């Protein structure tokens, strides 16, 4: 009852915003671009990072003499309401539309087929149309780099991971974090706790505290709030920022932040459309392309070796070397799932559904 | 008991209690509101406005107490909207409360735009001498921040006031039978106003506690449903204030238990563990409502009904 009413009001508000802002007249050197966000810009994480990317894009395009007029619709529920918002953005003259959450896949696809003059970009999905491409960050690379540092910093040799929902993306990140740490010390283990939510600060905190009580001393999270970092600081252990730079939330516990930088992609995507070079490929960018980075090293806590090791791994990623899922890799049960010297390809990574050796905790099935 | 088990229970209790304190604030307020016959479903909205106001004031002044006070005042002010609509203008209480929650979430998001990424000072933990030495309980119960103790003290005061004082009696009388209370000279409207504003104050304090002490940061929608759990707790405890305090701690422990058992690697499916708070609530509700006469007798008779004097 509450949710339905809530969604209704939000959608009404979203549609009203489109009606007011979307009708801008398009000049020759300007382009109207629509953004659909799943959360509020103030989430400090996922949507916050998208909005930083949008602002960077505007700046970059301006430097090239292109005026980008953006229309942002926040907190659009995933589902049929999204379709109306996306269609409205297109009808009101936005020639490029970015839809920034997995659940917008089908709505974007439906609108794309009936609005051939608009170009759509959908984040983290897998459906394409002639005028619809997809884009996704290799977040596991950031998790791996964090893991390398955690491997150097952990004294208890036990890491913690606050996990959200068991989809391949999250499983990749848990594995990558563990593999990164094991590249330093193969005896390191990672404890996982599932909270079943992307955003729930109270639960994120409880999950972190439960692992800290069991001896985990370097934490990472695949959830959206800074609660885990804050819990780490309160309990005198270490943690990382995720999606956005979270230094300010826990300066005494923060080792570094694995961030997503959408600005470069958004700039290139808009230019590709304006230059008539759009192709609807699946973009899966990482450190090499600048979409993933690890930033804000805490030099008070991190040893020089830890930073050097992370930088070395990052340099290999920059050079395009695949270093994260390279065999030999054993699964949780100790069976070899990737043979020595073999590197998992993108198809295998997209469907990843097993945990590597050294992870404590199970997958909810 | 082995030392390890004692340590485990201590940390579990501590994790549960951290979760329970904002619940005690908010649900204790709502209990008083409902005792007067008013059903305010706007707890989540009042909490989040309390949270953003408290956080903002503490960021500006550096004082957690001033922030908490501001959070309480903000919660009270928001509840005035509900009181005017539902008590004065006799709008239906359920949709009015829902609207208040939606309003609060939107307003707090707007007010908090510049607060993302800011932090507030740590609150100092004050262990109570002697009591903190009690095994298992001592280290978790008696090692709180001052606002944490405040929640428990206010909770106990409400238990006393509702049961033993004239004010408590008036509130209960208005909730049970506004006609009778009115006929013997009590003002139903004034009593309900006071109760509703008290509910707003407590929800605001609960929200302030979340932003200033539990999390120490601000992100939009950060209460993430705590206000709704506070509402459930009131029913869960059959409108009995002392049971409410225990219920809040029970809820906190049950919620933490899932993560705690995962962290201990018990071979149980995490999905099942995460649904434990719901399973536990159902079980308790079944037990408490098994005797239908007793459980329904506890609900204030005029709950949710407008009264026109």
């Amino acid at each position: 009852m509450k949710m339905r009413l809530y969604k209704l009001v939000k959608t009404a508000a979203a549609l009203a915003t489109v009606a007011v802002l979307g009708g801008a007249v398009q000049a020759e050197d300007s382009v109207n671009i629509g953004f659909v966000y799943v959360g509020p810009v103030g989430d400090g994480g996922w949507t916050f990072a998208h909005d930083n990317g949008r602002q960077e894009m505007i700046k970059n395009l301006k430097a090239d003499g292109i005026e980008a007029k953006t229309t942002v619709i926040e907190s659009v529920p995933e589902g049929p309401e999204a379709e109306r918002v996306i269609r409205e953005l297109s009808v009101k003259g936005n020639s490029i539309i970015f839809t920034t959450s997995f659940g917008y896949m089908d709505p974007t696809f439906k609108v794309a087929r009936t609005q051939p003059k608009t170009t759509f970009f959908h984040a983290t999905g897998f459906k394409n149309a002639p005028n619809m491409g997809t884009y996704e960050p290799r977040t596991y690379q950031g998790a791996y780099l964090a893991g390398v540092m955690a491997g150097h910093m952990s004294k208890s040799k036990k890491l913690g991971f606050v996990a959200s929902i068991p989809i391949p993306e999250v499983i990749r990140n848990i594995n990558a974090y563990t593999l990164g740490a094991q590249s330093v010390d193969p005896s390191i283990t990672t404890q996982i706790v599932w909270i079943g939510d992307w955003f729930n600060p109270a639960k994120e905190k409880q999950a972190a505290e439960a692992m800290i009580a069991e001896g985990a001393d370097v934490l990472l999270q695949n959830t959206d709030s800074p609660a885990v970092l804050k819990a780490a600081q309160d309990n005198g252990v270490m943690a990382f920022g995720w999606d956005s730079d979270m230094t300010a939330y826990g300066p005494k516990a923060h080792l570094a932040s694995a961030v997503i930088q959408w600005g470069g992609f958004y700039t290139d995507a808009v230019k590709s459309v304006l230059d008539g070079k759009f192709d609807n490929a699946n973009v899966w960018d990482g450190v090499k392309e600048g979409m993933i980075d690890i930033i804000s090293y805490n030099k008070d806590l991190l040893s020089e070796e830890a930073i050097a090791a992370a930088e070395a791994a990052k340099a290999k990623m920059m050079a395009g070397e695949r270093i994260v899922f390279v065999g030999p890799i054993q699964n949780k049960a100790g069976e070899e799932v990737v043979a020595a010297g073999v590197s998992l390809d993108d198809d295998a990574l997209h469907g990843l559904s097993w945990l590597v050796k050294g992870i404590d905790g199970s997958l909810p099935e | 008991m082995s030392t390890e088990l004692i340590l485990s229970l201590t940390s579990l209790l501590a994790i549960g209690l951290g979760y329970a304190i904002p619940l005690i604030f908010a649900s204790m307020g709502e209990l008083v509101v409902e005792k007067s016959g008013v059903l305010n479903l706007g707890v989540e909205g009042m909490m989040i406005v309390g949270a953003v106001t408290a956080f903002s004031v503490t960021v500006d002044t550096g004082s957690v107490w001033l922030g908490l006070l501001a959070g309480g005042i903000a919660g009270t002010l928001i509840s005035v909207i509900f009181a005017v609509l539902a008590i004065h203008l006799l709008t239906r209480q359920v949709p009015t409360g829902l609207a208040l929650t939606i309003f609060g979430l939107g307003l707090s998001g707007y007010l908090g735009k510049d607060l993302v990424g800011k932090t507030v000072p740590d609150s100092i933990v004050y262990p109570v001498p002697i009591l903190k030495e009690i095994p298992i309980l001592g280290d978790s119960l008696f090692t709180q921040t001052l606002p944490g103790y405040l929640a428990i003290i206010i909770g106990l005061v409400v238990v006393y006031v509702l049961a033993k004082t004239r004010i408590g009696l008036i509130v209960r009388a208005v909730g049970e039978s506004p006609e009778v209370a009115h006929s013997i000279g009590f003002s139903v409207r004034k009593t309900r106003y006071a109760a509703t504003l008290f509910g707003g104050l407590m929800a605001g304090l609960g929200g302030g506690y979340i932003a200033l002490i539990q999390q120490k940061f601000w992100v939009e929608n950060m209460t993430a449903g705590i206000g709704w759990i506070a509402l459930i707790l009131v029913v869960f405890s059959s409108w009995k204030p002392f049971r409410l305090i225990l219920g809040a701690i029970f809820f906190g422990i049950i919620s933490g238990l899932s993560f705690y058992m995962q962290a201990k690697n018990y071979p149980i499916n995490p999905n099942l563990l995460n649904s434990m708070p719901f399973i536990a609530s159902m079980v308790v509700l079944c037990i408490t409502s098994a005797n239908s006469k007793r459980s329904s007798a506890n609900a204030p008779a005029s709950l949710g009904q407008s009264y026109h004097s």
Side-chain angles (χ1 to χ4, degrees):
Chain A
M1 171 68 180
K2 171 232 163 191
M3 278 318 290
R4 198 179 297 161
L5 196 64
Y6 183 61
K7 280 181 178 171
L8 197 72
V9 171
K10 282 228 160 160
T11 312
L15 287 173
T17 320
V18 180
V20 173
L21 298 177
V25 183
Q26 193 163 346
E28 275 186 359
D29 55 347
S30 80
V31 55
N32 290 333
I33 305 168
F35 281 84
V36 183
Y37 294 159
V38 70
V41 171
D43 71 356
W46 177 258
T47 297
F48 189 64
H50 278 287
D51 202 62
N52 285 342
R54 178 187 66 89
Q55 290 172 18
E56 194 188 321
M57 173 201 79
I58 295 176
K59 231 181 272 172
N60 290 344
L61 290 173
K62 198 167 188 183
D64 293 342
I66 303 161
E67 193 192 351
K69 291 178 182 159
T70 57
T71 305
V72 173
I73 316 291
E74 286 179 61
S75 301
V76 177
E78 299 179 325
E81 295 94 338
E83 188 183 329
R84 261 174 281 149
V85 171
I86 297 164
R87 189 178 303 281
E88 195 76 15
L89 276 172
S90 168
V91 170
K92 293 286 181 183
N94 290 287
S95 52
I96 302 168
I97 294 173
F98 295 96
T99 55
T100 65
S101 185
F102 179 78
Y104 299 148
M105 180 163 69
D106 287 328
T108 309
F109 187 68
K110 274 189 197 162
V111 178
R113 282 188 305 181
T114 58
Q115 298 289 122
K117 284 184 183 162
T118 309
T119 309
F120 297 86
F121 292 91
H122 172 242
T124 71
F126 51 81
K127 282 192 181 170
N128 303 64
N131 58 333
M132 173 181 170
T134 65
Y135 62 107
E136 188 174 356
R138 294 180 187 268
T139 47
Y140 68 87
Q141 293 184 338
Y144 182 86
L145 295 174
V148 170
M149 282 185 265
H152 279 278
M153 299 308 296
S154 175
K155 292 191 185 72
S156 64
K157 302 296 172 196
K158 187 171 177 182
L159 313 181
F161 196 106
V162 178
S164 45
I165 290 160
I167 57 174
E169 183 193 348
V170 177
I171 295 169
R172 279 196 301 272
N173 293 334
I174 299 169
N175 285 335
Y177 184 55
T178 311
L179 290 171
Q182 289 175 346
S183 75
V184 180
D185 180 349
S187 71
I188 287 181
T189 59
T190 302
Q191 178 69 55
I192 47 174
V193 168
W194 297 93
I195 67 162
D197 257 328
W198 288 105
F199 179 83
N200 192 320
K203 284 192 193 171
E204 290 169 47
K205 183 185 163 90
Q206 280 191 314
E209 285 175 345
M211 287 191 286
I212 295 167
E214 291 301 309
D217 67 349
V218 188
L219 307 182
L220 180 65
Q221 68 281 358
N222 206 158
T223 47
D224 291 350
S225 94
V228 174
L229 175 61
K230 204 79 201 184
Q233 171 153 317
D234 286 352
N235 290 281
V237 301
M238 294 167 278
F240 294 93
W242 188 248
D243 286 352
S244 298
D245 186 351
M246 294 185 174
T247 313
Y249 291 104
K252 288 176 215 147
H254 178 264
L255 292 176
S257 277
V259 298
I260 311 175
Q261 293 167 333
W262 304 97
F265 170 76
Y266 283 149
T267 311
D268 294 346
V270 170
K271 279 190 187 164
S272 78
V273 175
L274 295 180
D275 298 347
K277 287 177 187 158
F278 168 76
D279 78 79
N280 65 348
N282 292 310
V283 174
W284 201 16
D285 284 355
V287 169
K288 185 180 170 213
E289 298 82 5
M291 197 182 271
I292 292 292
D293 202 356
I294 188 116
I295 59 166
S296 301
Y297 291 125
N298 186 340
K299 299 219 162 89
D300 294 339
L301 289 177
L302 284 166
S303 62
E304 276 171 30
E305 300 86 65
I307 297 179
E311 284 292 310
K314 190 166 134 184
K316 284 185 189 166
M317 289 175 177
M318 294 282 268
E321 205 180 315
R322 297 178 77 100
I323 58 168
V324 181
F325 291 96
V326 181
I329 299 175
Q330 292 179 325
N331 68 9
K332 207 166 157 327
E335 299 151 359
E336 185 171 279
V337 276
V338 183
V342 176
S343 167
L344 280 187
D345 63 11
D346 282 358
D347 280 346
L349 287 180
H350 267 299
L352 199 74
S353 62
W354 40 263
L355 297 172
V356 301
K357 195 181 172 193
I359 291 178
D360 294 324
S362 52
L363 283 174
E365 279 161 310
Chain B
M1 273 190 282
S2 70
T3 335
E4 201 196 339
L5 185 63
I6 291 177
L7 275 175
S8 304
L9 287 174
T10 308
S11 63
L12 178 61
L13 250 177
I15 291 168
L17 208 69
Y19 186 91
I21 285 175
L23 269 181
I24 295 178
F25 272 120
S27 57
M28 208 39 116
E30 178 67 13
L31 177 88
V32 172
V33 179
E34 294 192 14
K35 276 283 182 191
S36 80
V38 178
L39 182 64
N40 183 356
L41 296 185
V43 181
E44 178 89 358
M46 300 188 292
M47 284 186 92
I48 193 82
V49 172
V52 74
T53 312
F55 193 79
S56 163
V57 167
T58 301
V59 164
D60 287 343
T61 64
S63 160
V64 172
W65 284 110
L66 273 181
L68 208 58
L69 181 70
I73 294 172
T76 314
L77 290 177
I78 293 290
S79 72
V80 171
I81 301 175
F82 177 88
V84 170
L85 289 171
I87 302 172
H88 223 98
L89 303 174
L90 302 177
T91 59
R92 283 180 169 272
Q93 293 176 6
V94 167
T96 309
L98 288 172
L100 195 70
T101 286
I102 296 166
F103 172 70
L105 288 171
L107 180 70
S108 63
Y110 174 74
L111 294 175
K113 279 254 184 292
D114 299 330
L115 296 174
V116 177
K118 302 234 165 95
T119 49
V120 292
D122 284 340
S123 293
I124 301 159
V125 168
Y126 293 92
V128 181
I130 306 167
L131 288 179
K132 79 168 171 29
E133 307 296 336
I134 302 172
I136 303 176
L137 288 177
D139 217 21
S140 44
L141 276 178
F142 299 107
T143 314
Q144 297 291 328
T145 58
L146 289 179
Y149 295 123
L150 181 70
I152 297 167
I153 292 168
I154 294 183
L156 294 173
V157 169
V158 171
V159 172
Y160 174 78
V161 169
L162 274 179
K164 303 280 180 195
T165 67
R166 186 177 150 82
I167 298 175
L169 191 64
I170 297 172
V171 170
R172 284 187 286 139
V174 166
E176 289 303 330
S177 175
E179 292 82 6
V180 172
H182 179 73
S183 69
I184 56 173
F186 295 127
S187 169
V188 173
R189 197 182 271 179
K190 274 184 198 159
T191 310
R192 288 189 167 179
Y193 256 100
T196 304
L197 265 52
F198 178 75
L201 172 74
M202 294 292 276
L205 289 175
Y209 186 91
I210 291 176
L212 296 177
I213 291 150
Q214 190 186 65
Q215 303 291 0
K216 295 191 279 289
F217 58 77
W218 163 259
V219 286
E220 277 193 63
N221 301 353
M222 70 180 299
T223 46
I226 301 278
W228 295 101
I229 294 175
L231 276 161
I232 295 165
L233 251 177
V234 177
V235 182
F236 185 87
S237 65
S238 338
W239 292 269
K240 290 191 170 158
F242 191 68
R243 216 187 261 181
L244 189 77
I245 299 178
L246 295 182
I249 297 171
F250 174 75
F251 239 88
I253 290 174
I254 286 285
S255 159
L257 192 62
S258 160
F259 313 135
Y260 177 82
M261 289 176 78
Q262 289 187 54
K264 283 228 168 242
N265 281 310
Y266 287 102
I268 306 173
N269 189 311
N271 280 345
L272 185 69
L273 288 174
N274 281 337
S275 58
M276 273 195 312
F278 306 101
I279 298 170
S281 324
M282 302 250 257
V283 170
V284 173
L285 282 177
C286 286
I287 294 169
T288 54
S289 60
N291 184 340
S292 62
K293 261 185 198 163
R294 254 178 52 199
S295 62
S296 61
N298 279 325
S302 74
L303 183 61
Q305 295 165 9
S306 299
Y307 180 74
H308 183 66
S309 55

